[in-house]
Amino acid sequence: MKMIIIGLTIFSFLLNAQNEIFKAKLKGIQIDEYNPGYEIDSLTVYQSGEWVYMRAYSAAGFGDILATKLKETSLQTAKPAVGYFTGFTASSPGDGYIYLTATSDGGFNQDIIKVKWSGIGAQTFTAPSGQCISGFVKSGPDADGYVYLLVNTGFIGVEEEQKDREAGIYKFGFELRVIGPNPTREYTKIFYSIPNHSSVRLEVYDISGRLVKRLVDSFQNRGRYNLSWACVDENGEALPDGVYLVRLTNGKQVATEKLLLLK
């Protein structure tokens, strides 16, 4: 698997690092990573509280890679009908916005990021022939305060069974972690993995044992997952300060992690 680093400057795409696709140093934008080593086949957008998140999907599960609560920054879903993502095109058409467009080997093109802030940039990247985007990682902050979204690439069509035979890195166990921030004031990231296709519940309880938020309640394929939660209840209202319990249930297996919320 070859790592491709993608970076950019605002309205100028001539950086020494030719492979960076997105960078930001503004409060209100978060960059995270999801790097499964499988072909990324869709990007979806959802909202939690004031935050809007972009989630990447692969055969190994899903993970959130971007978040924003800035009004002049928008994220958009991209789901190629066929094929996988093979690149990203950055543009500034003169309307005051910067756009980042996802492309696929099936001829798909879709704007995924539209932003109007000078503390942000984007840069074009195309995977080598026969390869596609297989993960997203982050780097930074650098000396100028920028955090970067970078991509990994891999060859299209590598079978899951073959990967499972390599070093065991795609063997999935039962695990739950609150990645953080923890304590948190407004959002946190939760990681979990499951070993088999089965029913999964990921729920948040207050210290008295009352259910305050159901994050996941569905059948999921074996794999690694990460998601972001803006510390809101089922009605989208911000939760009060206190200790909360994040609980993962997968069949007879149950794991619980504590989360401290401080407003």
Side-chain angles (χ1 to χ4, degrees), residues 39-40 80 82-87 102-108 130-132 156-157:
E39 296 95 336
I40 302 298
V82 295
Y84 304 102
F85 293 110
T86 54
T103 59
S104 81
D105 54 332
F108 176 87
Q131 296 189 33
C132 66
I156 298 173

Side-chain angles (χ1 to χ4, degrees), residues 16-254:
N16 291 331
Q18 294 298 314
N19 294 325
E20 295 168 349
I21 59 167
F22 188 78
K23 72 175 184 180
K25 66 177 179 180
L26 296 178
K27 292 182 65 176
I29 291 185
Q30 302 292 334
I31 293 176
D32 287 298
E33 58 184 64
Y34 172 63
N35 189 32
Y38 288 81
E39 296 95 336
I40 302 298
D41 54 32
S42 64
L43 300 168
T44 64
V45 173
Y46 71 98
Q47 187 167 359
S48 178
E50 294 181 273
W51 289 88
V52 177
Y53 296 95
M54 177 173 286
R55 177 174 289 174
Y57 285 80
S58 76
F62 62 74
D64 295 341
I65 58 172
L66 284 173
T68 180
K69 64 176 183 178
L70 301 179
K71 296 185 183 301
E72 295 198 33
T73 299
S74 62
L75 308 178
Q76 188 165 329
T77 292
K79 296 181 179 181
V82 295
Y84 304 102
F85 293 110
T86 54
F88 298 91
T89 302
S91 62
S92 178
D95 60 355
Y97 286 89
I98 294 174
Y99 294 82
L100 190 66
T101 304
T103 59
S104 81
D105 54 332
F108 176 87
N109 290 274
Q110 174 66 61
D111 291 342
I112 59 170
I113 301 174
K114 176 183 177 183
V115 63
K116 197 177 184 180
W117 293 87
S118 59
I120 298 173
Q123 182 169 295
T124 295
F125 168 77
T126 301
S129 178
Q131 296 189 33
C132 66
I133 307 302
S134 63
F136 298 88
V137 296
K138 71 175 181 178
S139 176
D142 63 14
D144 296 319
Y146 282 98
V147 178
Y148 294 82
L149 181 66
L150 311 94
V151 294
N152 283 344
T153 65
F155 288 98
I156 298 173
V158 178
E159 294 296 327
E160 179 179 339
E161 290 78 8
Q162 177 182 340
K163 291 181 179 181
D164 279 346
R165 291 194 294 268
E166 298 175 358
I169 59 175
Y170 295 105
K171 302 292 186 182
F172 305 113
F174 179 73
E175 184 181 4
L176 170 66
R177 285 189 290 125
V178 177
I179 298 177
N182 185 16
T184 183
R185 295 186 182 277
E186 55 180 355
Y187 86 98
T188 194
K189 197 174 189 74
I190 300 166
F191 165 95
Y192 66 95
S193 67
I194 54 175
N196 302 297
H197 176 76
S198 56
S199 176
V200 176
R201 293 200 312 274
L202 183 66
E203 300 164 316
V204 183
Y205 294 82
D206 64 19
I207 198 64
S208 71
R210 180 177 64 93
L211 176 66
V212 296
K213 180 66 176 179
R214 180 169 285 118
L215 299 170
V216 175
D217 186 6
S218 65
F219 277 86
Q220 293 184 329
N221 291 325
R222 72 184 186 94
R224 299 187 182 97
Y225 297 82
N226 73 70
L227 55 83
S228 301
W229 174 50
C231 301
V232 294
D233 63 17
E234 294 288 355
N235 298 317
E237 300 294 330
L239 290 169
D241 292 5
V243 176
Y244 293 86
L245 303 176
V246 180
R247 180 179 300 170
L248 175 68
T249 305
N250 176 217
K252 295 182 179 180
Q253 300 183 98
V254 179

